[in-house]
Amino acid sequence: MNYNKKTVKDVDVAGKKVLLRCDFNVPLAKDGSGVITDDKRIRAALPTIQYLLDQGAAVIACSHLGKPEPSFDKWVKKQTEKGKDPATLTKEKWEKSLEALCMEPVAKRLSELLGKPVTLAGDINVVNADVEAKAAALKPGEIMLLQNTRFNKGETKNDPEFAKKLAGLADIYVSDAFGAVHRAHASTAGVAAYLPAVSGFLIQKELEVIGGALAAPKRPLVAILGGAKVSSKIGVINNLLEIADTIIIGGGMAYTFAKAQGGQVGDSLLESDWLDYANDMVKKAADKGVKFLLPVDTVAADAFAPDANAQVVPAGAIPDGWQGLDIGPETVKAYCDAVAGAGTVIWNGPMGVFEFEKFAVGTKAVAEALSNTDAITIIGGGDSAAAVQQLGYADKMTHISTGGGASLEFMEGKELPGVACLLDK
Ligand code: ADP
Ligand code: MG
């Protein structure tokens, strides 16, 4: 696919101040220690950062991290909705929840990876007088990092005032935050109204690889769709039915299809509102001549637990009290055969509850089949990417997307606001 957006190579960044939106939304240890459990997203941003610094730009990097709630009242409301006792919801606890999402760990890791200091600046407003002074004083080849963009109430509202404040720090806006391009926020889209806006290398790579596979795939194109819910993958199934030669369904969503076809699914994940939709998809596939593969057997468990008892049963004959947690051996064979003959494979959503070793067999087998083909293999979806990594096949794939939600929306054929706002070539 021809990438039609300007990149950092199409503008002169030497001696310029560059506002660089990255996706530093990294997973942090649950114990609140601030330990980054996977720095893949920081490393994915390095080529663009290094290029800008080498070219003599002064880089003002920014990103969101997690989902901080910048309004105390809204925080109380959300926590109460989650079942917390309002009497325990103090200002101190809210401040702690914000502190836990400060950018310190990111600044530290980024500095280690770059081998140079990364100055962290900013407060709850993200841009303040201190930040403006530090940005103004930043020299070519130096980098600073702003505080979590979602600390500012204007970020998720795409508030023009906040966007202007961000833009005021720099001469050029570069976006490389692929994981956030499906959001029209102040730092991912709004700011582009006030500065020349171009993309970094990560966005370019993601769009070239995934976009290429969608626009002009090496055929046959096999799409493997799994994960928890049909409802979160409707758009992808629908769009890929227009493009793919074969669609393979696995994971929790398969039981909604099994039920729709008159099967018994026991206590398996089921979205009863989507039965008609499931049947429509099967029909649409038949009308279009797209092969639509559903599981023929399943590994049923007597509990949702890592050490549950398990038995292999036909896909539409899961006994009461049992739930399907993985695809069965016959299904694994059929899916691996389909993958073996593919020119391109797009995979979004694990085949089972891969977090439990006992039920990771189907996901592992499919990952291995992908690693053994000569096909172009593209992994979209946060959990699928985690599964491939955890099972040890990451370096065997053509491309593992850094953006779960963004790659999903791209595969749905939706416009990405964080890309649409960039300058055309
Ligand atoms: P992705 O992030 O790759 O798009 P999803 O978020 O849609 O994937 O789904 C991933 C989750 O689906 C995993 O946590 C996995 O445990 C769960 N899952 C897969 N198969 C089943 C199943 N049969 N029953 C319940 N959960 C499942
Ligand atoms: Mg997910």
Side-chain angles (χ1 to χ4, degrees):
M1 190 188 79
N2 285 331
Y3 183 64
N4 66 351
K5 292 292 175 181
K6 283 196 175 166
T7 77
V8 282
K9 292 214 162 156
D10 297 311
V11 284
D12 182 13
V13 297
K16 302 274 170 58
K17 298 249 161 38
V18 171
L19 177 71
L20 175 65
R21 177 51 155 101
C22 296
D23 177 15
F24 291 148
N25 184 26
V26 289
L28 297 169
K30 294 205 166 67
D31 61 5
S33 58
V35 171
I36 295 170
T37 54
D38 183 357
D39 66 357
K40 177 177 72 196
R41 284 182 159 169
I42 304 180
R43 282 184 284 112
L46 294 177
T48 299
I49 298 175
Q50 200 61 63
Y51 174 84
L52 291 170
L53 295 173
D54 289 349
Q55 294 292 310
V59 176
I60 301 145
C62 67
S63 171
H64 77 283
L65 176 61
K67 291 183 178 163
E69 176 42 69
S71 146
F72 175 63
D73 292 343
K74 277 200 191 138
W75 177 79
V76 170
K77 196 164 160 257
K78 279 188 191 163
Q79 294 295 313
T80 312
E81 278 163 10
K82 279 188 195 164
K84 299 265 165 69
D85 174 4
T88 66
L89 299 172
T90 59
K91 271 234 153 77
E92 287 70 35
K93 275 200 187 152
W94 167 64
E95 276 161 9
K96 270 218 149 128
S97 77
L98 294 180
E99 245 166 64
L101 294 173
C102 279
M103 299 301 279
E104 272 79 2
V106 174
K108 186 166 166 276
R109 186 72 190 121
L110 183 58
S111 170
E112 286 165 4
L113 290 167
L114 287 171
K116 63 162 59 194
V118 175
T119 311
L120 180 64
D123 56 6
I124 185 83
N125 295 314
V126 183
V127 182
N128 59 20
D130 174 56
V131 167
E132 284 164 346
K134 286 197 167 110
L138 203 66
K139 296 199 176 65
E142 290 181 347
I143 175 165
M144 65 185 276
L145 176 66
L146 304 185
Q147 202 38 275
N148 190 340
T149 51
R150 287 194 189 168
F151 281 177
N152 188 302
K153 287 178 193 164
E155 168 70 338
T156 57
K157 293 186 190 129
N158 196 3
D159 170 27
E161 289 313 310
F162 180 45
K164 269 186 225 168
K165 282 257 175 204
L166 287 167
L169 301 173
D171 309 305
I172 296 172
Y173 169 67
V174 175
S175 178
D176 214 20
F178 181 72
V181 286
H182 58 313
R183 312 259 185 235
H185 291 172
S187 73
T188 59
V191 64
Y194 308 103
L195 288 175
V198 302
S199 81
F201 302 127
L202 178 62
I203 288 189
Q204 179 181 15
K205 180 170 138 208
E206 293 267 9
L207 294 184
E208 277 177 353
V209 178
I210 305 175
L214 297 175
K218 202 174 141 211
R219 293 190 181 273
L221 168 60
V222 177
I224 309 173
L225 301 170
K229 293 178 169 178
V230 182
S231 54
S232 67
K233 303 281 160 88
I234 317 157
V236 186
I237 301 177
N238 211 10
N239 194 38
L240 289 179
L241 270 170
E242 308 287 339
I243 304 170
D245 301 291
T246 302
I247 290 189
I248 290 176
I249 301 286
M253 70 157 86
Y255 306 102
T256 299
F257 284 91
K259 178 81 179 178
Q261 300 197 330
Q264 300 296 315
V265 299
D267 296 341
S268 304
L269 255 190
L270 177 67
E271 289 180 285
S272 344
D273 292 348
W274 294 96
L275 296 173
D276 288 345
Y277 173 80
N279 280 331
D280 287 350
M281 289 301 105
V282 173
K283 186 170 175 303
K284 187 173 171 185
D287 291 348
K288 291 193 166 290
V290 175
K291 272 190 217 151
F292 202 83
L293 305 184
L294 288 164
V296 291
D297 57 356
T298 194
V299 181
D302 61 357
F304 187 85
D307 56 354
N309 293 306
Q311 59 170 326
V312 176
V313 296
I318 302 174
D320 286 344
W322 292 71
Q323 53 188 300
L325 295 187
D326 196 5
I327 52 174
E330 285 300 316
T331 309
V332 165
K333 206 176 156 297
Y335 288 7
C336 290
D337 285 349
V339 164
T344 307
V345 185
I346 293 177
W347 184 11
N348 188 306
M351 296 291 97
V353 182
F354 72 94
E355 295 92 337
F356 301 158
E357 206 184 337
K358 200 167 177 177
F359 304 101
V361 177
T363 303
K364 187 162 193 222
V366 168
E368 182 158 347
L370 258 68
S371 74
N372 287 331
T373 64
D374 295 329
I376 294 164
T377 49
I378 297 173
I379 318 296
D383 291 290
S384 319
V388 165
Q389 203 151 17
Q390 184 186 312
L391 298 168
Y393 294 98
D395 55 356
K396 300 273 172 53
M397 304 300 163
T398 309
H399 182 67
I400 300 180
S401 178
T402 56
S407 67
L408 199 67
E409 292 203 12
F410 190 40
M411 289 181 195
E412 288 174 7
K414 284 193 189 153
E415 182 179 83
L416 302 168
V419 176
C421 69
L422 305 176
L423 292 171
D424 289 328
K425 265 216 165 118

